Each structure stands twice: as structure tokens, then as C-alpha cells.
Amino acid sequence: MARPEQVLLLEPQHELKFRGPFTDVVTTTLKLTNPTDKNLCFKVKTTAPRRYCVRPNSGVIDAGTSINVSVMLQPFDYDPNEKSKHKFMVQSMIAPTDMTDMEGVWKEAKPEELMDSKLRCVFELPSENEKAHDIDTNKVLSASLKSESSALSKSVSSSLDDGEVKKIMEECKRLQMEVQRLREENKQFKEDDGLRMRKGMSVSASPSSFSPPSSGSVLKEEGPNTRALALCIMFFVIGVIVGKLLL
């Protein structure tokens, strides 16, 4: 008994075209339409399964609806003698109303229930003129991107110079002068301490001579040192931020 005629509408109808170069994945779309009032099961097969990735490769198309199948040719070294070996077949059948296992349905299907359509694969290679045009286009795009990048860099740099960077630099200079002043003040405190120690050694020993320094004296010495340390840390952090902005 002859198989029934395919009721699925295929687009394209007879061949799948893949345009090279085939150094990357090349994808073409196969549209399957179910014009009937019944749900149809479909399955896509190929003679070169290792060369293609088909998504979805099977499923159910509801009555009056369509589905797009992506056929992805994997990268390979093009061989003109191999193109005739690549073919596809789309099988379909009316979906049972009580279908629960699609694989089981395909296994139990009778030959007279199956419908199929065959498609051949066509490989197209770009001409030499098209290759040269693609190279020129890539050069133009590359030059355009470099120009835009340079303009953006200058714009950002100008914006930074006229804005926050000036304020940060002025603040850094002020902090640097403050740190220098505190260093000199701390040095003066140390010299005064040394002078008091030398005077103490020249005076005859007494209990009061060995009394611990007053808390006020300790605070005076610790205060400038702590403040200087904090300002140094702040100055370092701001310097790092400015460095990143200028880069």
C-alpha cells in the first residue's frame, strides 16, 4: 500500500541552503505548517547526524499552527564531493488522541500511517568579490570603532579635568600641606621632650622627678600622631581614586 501524501507544508519545500564560509556554525530555518484540523507528530532526520544540530528534531504541531525548526550546520572543511551526501527527511503522522509516549507511537506506527518529505542540502560559498567586500567592511568598522573610542576617551578626560578631578587634586594638595605641617609640629614636640629630659637629668633627683608624665602631655603627643596617620591614609586612598580616574 502506498504511503499517504505529506500534509505538512514545508518552507523551503525542496532544499536547505547553507552559506559559507563554514568556519563557524551556519543556521538555516525550516518552517513546518499543519493546515489540517488534527494534531500531527513530526520528526526530522538527516543522513549526516554528526554534522547537524536540529532543534527541535521532533514534536507535535497542533492543528492550524506552525513551528520553526533550526538546522545548524557545524563547522567543517568544505568538500564539494560531499555535498550530495547531505539530505534531510521530514516524517509526520496523525497524533493519537490518547498519546502519552511519543517514542512509543513512532515505534508502533505502521508504514501506511507515515508521511514524509525529502530535502537536499545546498552549500554556497562567497565569491572572491564578496570576500574582498567583507574585508573592506571589517576595516571600515574597525576604524570607526577606534575613532569613536578615541573621541569618547577625550570627552571623558575633558569632563574629568573640568569637574571632580580638579576638586580632588586641590583637596590632595591641601591635605599634603596639612600632613607636612603636622610632621613639623610633631618634630618640634620631640625636640621639646628631649630638652626637658636633658634639664631633668641636670637637676638633683627627687620623687617628683620620677613621677609619670601628666595625661595632658600624653594626649598632646598622641593627638598629632593619630591625626597625621589618619590624614596620610586619607591622602593615599584619594590618590588611588585619582589614579584610576586618569587611567
Side-chain angles (χ1 to χ4, degrees), residues 40-75:
L40 296 177
C41 297
F42 78 93
K43 181 180 288 187
V44 181
K45 296 182 178 180
T46 177
T47 56
R50 294 185 179 180
R51 290 288 175 85
Y52 297 90
C53 180
V54 182
R55 292 291 182 273
N57 60 359
S58 64
V60 176
I61 306 176
D62 294 336
T65 63
S66 302
I67 188 170
N68 288 329
V69 177
S70 295
V71 183
M72 293 163 277
L73 174 62
Q74 304 304 302

Side-chain angles (χ1 to χ4, degrees), residues 105-120:
V105 170
W106 284 107
K107 288 180 181 179
E108 297 174 3
K110 298 176 182 180
E112 60 268 19
E113 296 175 339
L114 298 176
M115 299 168 280
D116 62 60
S117 299
K118 294 181 176 65
L119 300 96
R120 67 188 186 93

Side-chain angles (χ1 to χ4, degrees), residues 39 66 121 163 188 197 202 220 226:
N39 296 343
S66 302
C121 296
Q188 185 63 40
M197 289 179 66
S202 63
K220 268 188 175 180
T226 304

Side-chain angles (χ1 to χ4, degrees), residues 5 36 42 50 54 86 97 122 135 185 188 227 244:
E5 186 178 353
T36 71
F42 78 93
R50 294 185 179 180
V54 182
H86 293 205
T97 55
V122 177
I135 293 174
E185 185 176 339
Q188 185 63 40
R227 187 178 180 188
K244 289 183 177 180

Side-chain angles (χ1 to χ4, degrees), residues 61-226:
I61 306 176
D62 294 336
T65 63
S66 302
I67 188 170
N68 288 329
V69 177
S70 295
V71 183
M72 293 163 277
L73 174 62
Q74 304 304 302
F76 75 108
D77 294 329
Y78 176 69
D79 181 2
N81 299 322
E82 190 180 2
K83 63 181 181 180
S84 60
K85 300 178 182 179
H86 293 205
K87 295 178 181 178
F88 277 83
M89 181 173 69
V90 179
Q91 285 185 318
S92 66
M93 61 180 290
I94 297 174
T97 55
D98 57 347
M99 182 181 65
T100 56
D101 180 15
M102 184 177 296
E103 288 300 322
V105 170
W106 284 107
K107 288 180 181 179
E108 297 174 3
K110 298 176 182 180
E112 60 268 19
E113 296 175 339
L114 298 176
M115 299 168 280
D116 62 60
S117 299
K118 294 181 176 65
L119 300 96
R120 67 188 186 93
C121 296
V122 177
F123 302 101
E124 298 178 344
L125 289 173
S127 64
E128 293 299 324
N129 290 337
E130 289 176 331
K131 289 181 180 178
H133 176 71
D134 290 341
I135 293 174
D136 292 340
T137 301
N138 290 334
K139 288 182 179 179
V140 171
L141 289 175
S142 178
S144 177
L145 287 174
K146 287 182 179 179
S147 176
E148 290 180 3
S149 176
S150 176
L152 180 60
S153 176
K154 290 180 180 179
S155 176
V156 171
S157 176
S158 175
S159 175
L160 288 174
D161 288 342
D162 295 338
E164 295 299 323
V165 172
K166 284 187 176 181
K167 295 180 181 179
I168 294 175
M169 294 298 293
E170 291 174 359
E171 182 67 14
C172 286
K173 290 180 181 179
R174 189 187 67 79
L175 290 174
Q176 188 175 14
M177 294 175 62
E178 180 71 11
V179 169
Q180 183 63 30
R181 187 186 66 80
L182 289 171
R183 284 176 179 171
E184 294 177 357
E185 185 176 339
N186 191 41
K187 181 179 179 182
Q188 185 63 40
F189 273 115
K190 288 181 179 180
E191 291 177 355
D192 292 344
D193 287 345
L195 181 60
R196 284 197 297 271
M197 289 179 66
R198 286 194 295 272
K199 287 182 178 180
M201 292 176 63
S202 63
V203 179
S204 57
S206 66
S208 60
S209 301
F210 299 97
S211 60
S214 65
S215 59
S217 175
V218 173
L219 290 175
K220 268 188 175 180
E221 293 174 7
E222 291 180 353
N225 289 334
T226 304

